[in-house]
Amino acid sequence: MKNIVIALLIIFKTTICLQSQATTENSGFGFGIRAGVNFQNINGKNAIDNTLKNDLLIGFHGGLTLDIPIAPEFYFQTGLLYSTKGAKNNEEILGQPIKSTISIGYLELPLNFLYKPALGMGHLLLGFGPYVGYGINGSLKYDGNLSSLNGDIKFQNKVNITDPINTTYLRPLDFGANILIGYEFSNKISFQLNAQLGLTKINPEYEGSVNDKTAIKNTGFGLSLGYRLR
């Protein structure tokens, strides 16, 4: 996990250095900060092929953004963000209320194609592209059916039969698609609405499992404010 985090940081730092050298005279180059609220869910099917019925979980995201000009009004937008995802579930089984909340923290790298035309006193923001996330922390809270659980998530791609059974496991890598719309004012402050669709399952493989149809993915949207430092 540490190697992946270090690699993402190196990629981001190298991109900044290269772009600074290549665009020192280009006023279109943008570097800023962004933070906001997430409304996330986990969708998919469980082990017996039933569709999950979870509720939205409110989280947050924040970090650095980098806009690299590639043509008039067009940019490659990347950055490095910390983003929390997950879901809630409230149901009743055999007359017993059951509540659970799963929260996952990702280090996230967006890779967006951004269209930024002038509009009024500022610029319209329209973008889309993939994102890559790596899970660095998380927790599961469960209460119901005469039992409770409050523990940390462990990230691994495969769960062996010798691994503890009272632990929640998820794959560390998350990959999906972004779409965004927003507006940047002349004072460099911007607001943005974005949606994400997870394209890869985050549940691990279990050793010895047969006909396990589990396939869960992150989905959600968010609202954020940003400030362009350059």
Side-chain angles (χ1 to χ4, degrees):
M1 182 182 73
K2 292 182 178 179
N3 291 335
I4 297 294
V5 174
I6 292 173
L8 290 175
L9 290 171
I10 291 174
I11 292 172
F12 185 62
K13 183 177 180 180
T14 301
T15 302
I16 294 175
C17 292
L18 292 176
Q19 185 60 23
S20 296
Q21 294 174 6
T23 62
T24 52
E25 296 182 358
N26 190 339
S27 60
F29 171 71
F31 179 77
I33 56 176
R34 178 165 295 280
V37 60
N38 288 339
F39 301 91
Q40 291 287 329
N41 206 335
I42 294 178
N43 296 320
K45 296 185 177 182
N46 60 20
I48 58 175
D49 205 28
N50 288 334
T51 300
L52 298 180
K53 296 180 180 180
N54 293 321
D55 298 320
L56 290 176
L57 178 70
I58 299 177
F60 68 93
H61 63 273
L64 306 174
T65 61
L66 177 65
D67 295 346
I68 302 171
I70 55 178
E73 298 184 341
F74 291 93
Y75 296 79
F76 171 69
Q77 184 186 73
T78 184
L80 195 62
L81 305 172
Y82 176 76
S83 182
T84 61
K85 302 182 179 183
K88 296 190 299 183
N89 186 279
N90 297 299
E91 58 183 334
E92 188 173 294
I93 298 179
L94 299 177
Q96 294 291 328
I98 296 177
K99 298 181 180 181
S100 62
T101 301
I102 183 169
S103 180
I104 318 163
Y106 288 95
L107 190 63
E108 197 166 276
L109 185 71
L111 302 167
N112 293 322
F113 180 70
L114 182 67
Y115 178 48
K116 192 176 175 180
L119 180 65
M121 299 297 292
H123 292 85
L124 181 66
L125 305 174
L126 297 172
F128 68 93
Y131 73 86
V132 180
Y134 194 85
I136 58 175
N137 66 285
S139 64
L140 172 67
K141 296 181 180 180
Y142 173 90
D143 186 15
N145 199 21
L146 303 179
S147 64
S148 62
L149 174 67
N150 189 350
D152 294 333
I153 291 172
K154 188 172 183 180
F155 295 96
Q156 55 191 67
N157 291 317
K158 184 175 181 179
V159 180
N160 300 311
I161 58 176
T162 55
D163 291 326
I165 60 174
N166 59 343
T167 301
T168 303
Y169 298 93
L170 290 176
R171 295 178 188 264
L173 189 65
D174 183 31
F175 173 80
N178 277 319
I179 186 170
L180 66 91
I181 182 171
Y183 189 81
E184 181 180 279
F185 298 94
S186 58
N187 60 5
K188 301 181 181 180
I189 294 176
S190 63
F191 70 89
Q192 181 176 299
L193 169 66
N194 72 282
Q196 288 188 330
L197 176 65
L199 298 177
T200 185
K201 65 179 185 179
I202 59 174
N203 56 288
E205 175 188 352
Y206 281 81
E207 183 181 9
S209 63
V210 179
N211 296 326
D212 185 353
K213 301 181 182 295
T214 304
I216 62 174
K217 301 175 183 179
N218 287 311
T219 60
F221 64 97
L223 297 168
S224 63
L225 290 175
Y227 181 71
R228 183 163 55 86
L229 301 172
R230 174 180 175 180

